[in-house]
Amino acid sequence: MARVHFRETMAQLTGVARPFGQNELIVTKTDLKGHITYANDVFIRLAGYPEDQILGAPHCLIRHPHMPHGVFRLLWETLEAGREIFAFVVNRSANGDHYWVLAHVTPSFNASGKITGYHSNRRAVDDNIRKNVIEPLYASMRNAEAKYSNPKDKAEAGISLLKTILQQKETTYDEFVFSLCK
Ligand SMILES: Cc1cc2nc3c(=O)[nH]c(=O)nc-3n(C[C@H](O)[C@H](O)[C@H](O)COP(=O)(O)O)c2cc1C
């Protein structure tokens, strides 16, 4: 089967949230460039692509256009520095449905301490936190990013706004996210 190009389906959004269980874990592993090397059954079901189109695909296969660029910039900077990160993420299924997750993403190391890939475990997000905290925050980041046309500038604008908001709250990104984890 021909591989579906991940940008082709970007425009189609149904507005339908795909349900999944509170106890279900959505798992993927990637290589150093973010190409998917492993996906569990829950991921495959929610993503809605056949497994052979998921394995080897870049993780932005499931990127949702409502995600600010700044969040992914922070994710990659943190991972490449060898640290774990927790992030709220909305993902897009193949048919344009979406699902919100709280992702815990970590580097994997070999015996000599070198990063060999990355690993993400995701679980369901509390609806109130999504609606009242994360969606408004991400909407502000997207607004700040919309003033720029290239993804690098967008990411910088998004991160810069996020840092300002965190400074106003006198908190760090990690403290902020942990305060929302239930
Ligand atoms: C282990 C791992 C898991 C990831 N999980 C997701 C994910 O669930 N959704 C997503 O949109 N991007 C995820 N990413 C980030 C993507 O690699 C990519 O940076 C993001 O989709 C933004 O794509 P873009 O740079 O083309 O805008 C993950 C990256 C890694 C390393």
Side-chain angles (χ1 to χ4, degrees):
M1 193 184 297
R3 188 177 290 276
V4 176
H5 192 273
F6 58 92
R7 294 290 182 206
E8 278 172 17
T9 51
M10 273 307 256
Q12 304 160 8
L13 295 175
T14 62
V16 174
R18 273 202 182 193
F20 63 98
Q22 291 291 324
N23 295 324
E24 286 193 300
L25 272 186
I26 308 165
V27 183
T28 51
K29 292 181 193 176
T30 74
D31 63 14
L32 291 173
K33 293 199 161 151
H35 289 90
I36 301 171
T37 54
Y38 168 82
N40 76 344
D41 290 351
V42 188
F43 181 92
I44 293 168
R45 189 183 84 225
L46 288 167
Y49 295 97
E51 187 173 9
D52 67 343
Q53 288 183 18
I54 289 173
L55 295 179
H59 223 308
C60 54
L61 173 74
I62 59 162
R63 192 199 199 294
H64 193 288
H66 291 178
M67 275 304 291
H69 290 257
V71 173
F72 292 122
R73 164 71 68 86
L74 186 62
L75 178 139
W76 277 103
E77 279 179 0
T78 309
L79 292 175
E80 285 172 350
R83 290 184 279 114
E84 65 177 356
I85 182 165
F86 287 83
F88 291 90
V89 179
V90 60
N91 283 323
R92 183 182 49 74
S93 307
N95 74 340
D97 290 354
H98 65 273
Y99 55 98
W100 275 93
V101 296
L102 173 60
H104 176 215
V105 195
T106 59
S108 308
F109 299 93
N110 68 11
S112 9
K114 198 167 163 255
I115 300 176
T116 53
Y118 303 104
H119 188 140
S120 178
N121 284 303
R122 312 161 183 87
R123 62 177 172 81
V125 173
D126 178 271
D127 273 347
N128 284 328
I129 286 172
R130 169 184 58 75
K131 233 184 289 173
N132 300 321
V133 184
I134 301 302
E135 287 187 341
L137 170 66
Y138 284 6
S140 313
M141 289 176 73
R142 281 200 316 274
N143 266 342
E145 294 179 359
K147 299 187 181 90
Y148 300 87
S149 54
N150 96 46
K152 193 169 168 278
D153 295 338
K154 282 178 184 286
E156 267 156 31
I159 291 250
S160 166
L161 179 68
L162 179 62
K163 281 186 181 157
T164 305
I165 292 171
L166 293 171
Q167 268 164 12
Q168 282 164 356
K169 291 181 188 293
E170 297 184 346
T171 190
T172 63
Y173 174 81
D174 287 346
E175 283 168 0
F176 171 69
V177 172
F178 292 149
S179 74
L180 302 173
C181 295
K182 292 204 169 161

